[in-house]
Amino acid sequence: MSDMTEIVDNLENKISKLLHRYESVRQSNEALQQELTTVRSEYDKLEEDLQLSRDQIQTLKAANAMLGSTEHKTETKLKINSLIREIDQCIVQLSE
């Protein structure tokens, strides 16, 4: 009978350790999930900031070309032509 008691005590011990380990892993997982959410949010913000910076660069290049700089003149002309085509399409749609 003492063998049986010893086996049961041993099993209880192992189950207790497993439950403790499970709880530890679960808490660690929760913390990592929160960190992941924070990092994703920060990444999205940085992506948005990057796109805004790229847009500003394009605007500054166009303004620089309009002020007489020849550095980005071709690019600016293409952008202006594209904008004129869009305006023409809008006028056509409005006149229909």
Side-chain angles (χ1 to χ4, degrees):
M1 188 67 133
S2 88
D3 269 350
M4 191 66 103
T5 308
E6 195 175 305
I7 291 173
V8 169
D9 285 344
N10 196 8
L11 280 173
E12 284 179 350
N13 232 354
K14 287 181 180 181
I15 289 172
S16 176
K17 286 179 183 178
L18 281 173
L19 287 174
H20 179 70
R21 196 178 308 164
Y22 166 77
E23 186 60 29
S24 175
V25 169
R26 188 187 65 74
Q27 287 176 356
S28 176
N29 187 31
E30 264 184 38
L32 288 172
Q33 288 292 338
Q34 289 175 351
E35 184 179 349
L36 178 62
T37 301
T38 303
V39 168
R40 282 183 177 162
S41 175
E42 186 177 331
Y43 174 80
D44 290 342
K45 172 89 172 81
L46 289 173
E47 279 287 321
E48 186 179 318
D49 289 348
L50 178 62
Q51 188 57 44
L52 288 173
S53 295
R54 286 179 178 160
D55 291 344
Q56 285 180 335
I57 288 170
Q58 288 301 90
T59 302
L60 290 172
K61 283 180 182 179
N64 194 21
M66 288 180 186
L67 291 173
S69 172
T70 57
E71 193 174 330
H72 306 286
K73 204 170 214 167
T74 306
E75 192 176 316
T76 304
K77 284 181 182 179
L78 291 173
K79 181 66 175 173
I80 291 172
N81 287 338
S82 171
L83 291 171
I84 290 172
R85 280 193 295 278
E86 286 182 33
I87 292 170
D88 286 342
Q89 289 175 355
C90 290
I91 291 172
V92 169
Q93 289 178 356
L94 287 173
S95 66
E96 290 178 353

